[in-house]
Amino acid sequence: MGIARSTYCDKPAVSLDDTALVETMVTICESFEAYGSRRMQAALRHLGLIVNHKKIRRLMREHSLQPRRRRRYIATTDGDHELPIFPNLARDMVPGGPNPLWVTDITYVAITAGFVYVMLSNRLYRGEIVHKDVSHPGQHDAIVDEALFNDVQQILATNRVDRERGVNADEPSLLAGLLFDADGNRMTPTHASKKGVRYRYYVSKTLITPRQISTRRHKDADFNGTAAPIAKDRNSLRLPAGDIERLVLDRMVQLLATPAEVLAISASDLDPNLHPDSNLDAVGQSALLEAAQRNASALVAADAVAQRGFLLAALQRVDVHRDRVEIRIDRTGLLQRVRDDDQPSRVGALDEDHPVRDDGVIGTSHPDEPALAPHSSERGARDIILLTVHVAFRRSGFELRLVVPGKETGARPDHSLVRLVARAHQMRDRLVADPDRTITQLAEQERLTASYLTRLLRLAFVAPDIVTAILDGRQPVELTANKIMADTRLSIDWSGQRQALGFE
């Protein structure tokens, strides 16, 4: 129409030249020293002056109206307290040479329990200097007497044993310090809580502590056709604690309950001086098998603390690979436990006869985390038995599950899946009870979308044996609530439903 676009724009209510504008900005800066160009623009707009922020920035720079940044004062010493202040003993002292006067300051620092542990174990207080794990007499006087220091070390040792066994833990991690991934990285126990329920996991250390990861390419980047459970490394894992702990315990119980495997442990080709059970007669073998059977039964019925004690004594380490789990058993520790634990109630008991291994590896490292299990080269004369369990990884939602091929998994009902099926039947019953009610009306009453309710109602018509399997927890590992709700357009034929949902 021949009209400029600016014709339709509102004109500023007030128009000032640069001189008047700068005077206004100076007035604002006197009241608000920290205002930058953006805040200055808002202040001017509040006064009815519409000015471009680029022009404001230019004028502030030309007239030295830049904001004054306040530097935050960081207090390093807190002298405002009622605690006694140590007097300055060197006020009138004039040093006449090197090292006659050492000056320091007392700083209050928040410390963790592990740091307290190190402090209480420091032999510096005993007037000694430790170099390469060897204590030497120092040139300073001891400030803690020997009896008190020994009592403290005894208490720390007792606490270390309790921590190693998980005595005070609500749910002890049975394989803490014993579990490793295929690259040899320790798998640390961790947990997540949701709605008051704790979910325990073992996570590779590389997923917790970032490190430089090799950029090499791998051809086999998945587990049986599914996405590989990795984040920062090829073999880094995040496994549910219950799956791997159950697998190891079941294999240990199977080992103890199988006479052929127990006798193979006490093979005759071992040194009798190191292995007393290596040259048993018929009576000795019978007693060994009976003791192993008792331990197998007791291990199944034992609590988590007792089970962890047994595993600490019998296992060297457990390595999780892409297609198998390798369980390395300490032959000497297992035979001693089987031979000495005659009473089932003593399985896993760590007393004077069965202390936590204190060979410089387990139980003697940093108190905040379990120590690494040693390699076979560090165990001297202790023989290692390798048990291999072939496994497959299956993705269950966001969770990775361990499945032993050819073995039925334990009944573990999926509460989300059970709740979904139950609600589907509930919605169907409500529609049947009131024939005049439509799906749209029912969805509005339940605060659901009609599409979601339609997909949900289809689950009320699945085969009865599928519903029973879901209630009993015998559904396929891959079947989750999210997966089944992604597409509920199942076949009317029950056989087709079983095939689609993985029951056949």
Side-chain angles (χ1 to χ4, degrees), residues 229-502:
I230 61 176
K232 298 180 182 178
D233 205 350
R234 168 176 175 256
N235 295 312
S236 298
L237 296 171
R238 181 177 183 267
L239 297 176
D243 290 352
I244 186 63
E245 290 175 355
R246 189 179 304 107
L247 184 146
V248 174
L249 282 175
D250 290 347
R251 187 63 183 93
M252 292 299 297
V253 171
Q254 179 185 358
L255 171 67
L256 295 172
T258 305
E261 291 188 326
V262 175
L263 294 178
I265 294 176
S266 58
S268 59
D269 58 344
L270 301 176
D271 186 354
N273 295 326
L274 299 177
H275 304 278
D277 297 300
S278 62
N279 194 16
L280 296 176
D281 54 13
V283 176
Q285 291 181 355
S286 177
L288 179 63
L289 293 178
E290 292 178 1
Q293 186 62 47
R294 287 196 302 269
N295 277 265
S297 302
L299 186 59
V300 174
D303 57 14
V305 175
Q307 290 175 343
R308 171 152 174 81
F310 185 92
L311 295 179
L312 282 175
L315 297 183
Q316 187 220 23
R317 60 188 287 147
V318 178
D319 296 293
V320 182
H321 294 264
R322 300 170 63 82
D323 58 350
R324 67 192 186 279
V325 174
E326 294 181 350
I327 305 174
R328 287 179 169 80
I329 299 176
D330 177 5
R331 185 195 303 261
T332 302
L334 179 60
L335 288 177
Q336 181 180 358
R337 180 53 60 98
V338 171
R339 183 178 64 250
D340 294 347
D341 285 341
D342 294 331
Q343 300 298 327
S345 60
R346 290 188 62 198
V347 169
L350 294 179
D351 48 23
E352 295 180 357
D353 296 330
H354 296 289
V356 173
R357 288 197 301 250
D358 195 2
D359 53 7
V361 180
I362 293 184
T364 59
S365 63
H366 195 284
D368 282 345
E369 57 186 8
L372 289 170
H375 294 279
S376 58
S377 60
E378 300 172 350
R379 303 298 299 274
R382 293 185 175 181
D383 294 66
I384 301 302
I385 304 170
L386 177 61
L387 299 180
T388 302
V389 180
H390 295 280
V391 298
F393 289 93
R394 292 289 184 269
R395 181 71 68 179
S396 177
F398 293 102
E399 189 176 85
L400 194 67
R401 298 286 301 277
L402 267 178
V403 179
V404 180
K407 180 180 179 181
E408 293 185 0
T409 57
R412 298 177 57 187
D414 186 335
H415 299 292
S416 299
L417 197 56
V418 171
R419 189 162 48 246
L420 198 64
V421 174
R423 194 175 190 187
H425 284 268
Q426 181 185 14
M427 295 297 102
R428 185 198 62 177
D429 294 342
R430 293 185 60 179
L431 286 176
V432 173
D434 188 359
D436 296 333
R437 179 183 295 166
T438 65
I439 292 180
T440 303
Q441 294 174 346
L442 181 59
E444 292 178 354
Q445 294 175 3
E446 295 293 327
R447 295 182 179 180
L448 302 173
T449 63
S451 174
Y452 180 85
L453 182 58
T454 302
R455 289 184 287 130
L456 180 65
L457 285 171
R458 296 192 187 110
L459 298 182
F461 300 94
V462 298
D465 58 328
I466 296 178
V467 176
T468 302
I470 292 176
L471 296 178
D472 294 340
R474 295 183 286 104
Q475 73 278 358
V477 177
E478 302 88 348
L479 186 60
T480 62
N482 291 334
K483 182 176 181 179
I484 198 172
M485 283 298 294
D487 188 2
T488 59
R489 293 172 295 183
L490 301 173
S491 172
I492 300 178
D493 180 47
W494 287 352
S495 177
Q497 294 178 1
R498 299 187 190 97
Q499 185 175 6
L501 297 179

Side-chain angles (χ1 to χ4, degrees), residues 151-165:
D151 291 342
V152 172
Q153 303 313 305
Q154 183 63 34
I155 295 175
L156 294 179
T158 303
N159 294 340
R160 183 173 66 244
V161 172
D162 292 343
R163 182 179 181 85
E164 187 76 17
R165 295 177 56 195

Side-chain angles (χ1 to χ4, degrees), residues 130-148:
V130 179
H131 178 65
K132 293 185 178 180
D133 297 332
V134 178
S135 180
H136 305 276
Q139 298 181 358
H140 59 287
D141 297 332
I143 60 175
V144 177
D145 59 85
E146 184 176 0
L148 176 59

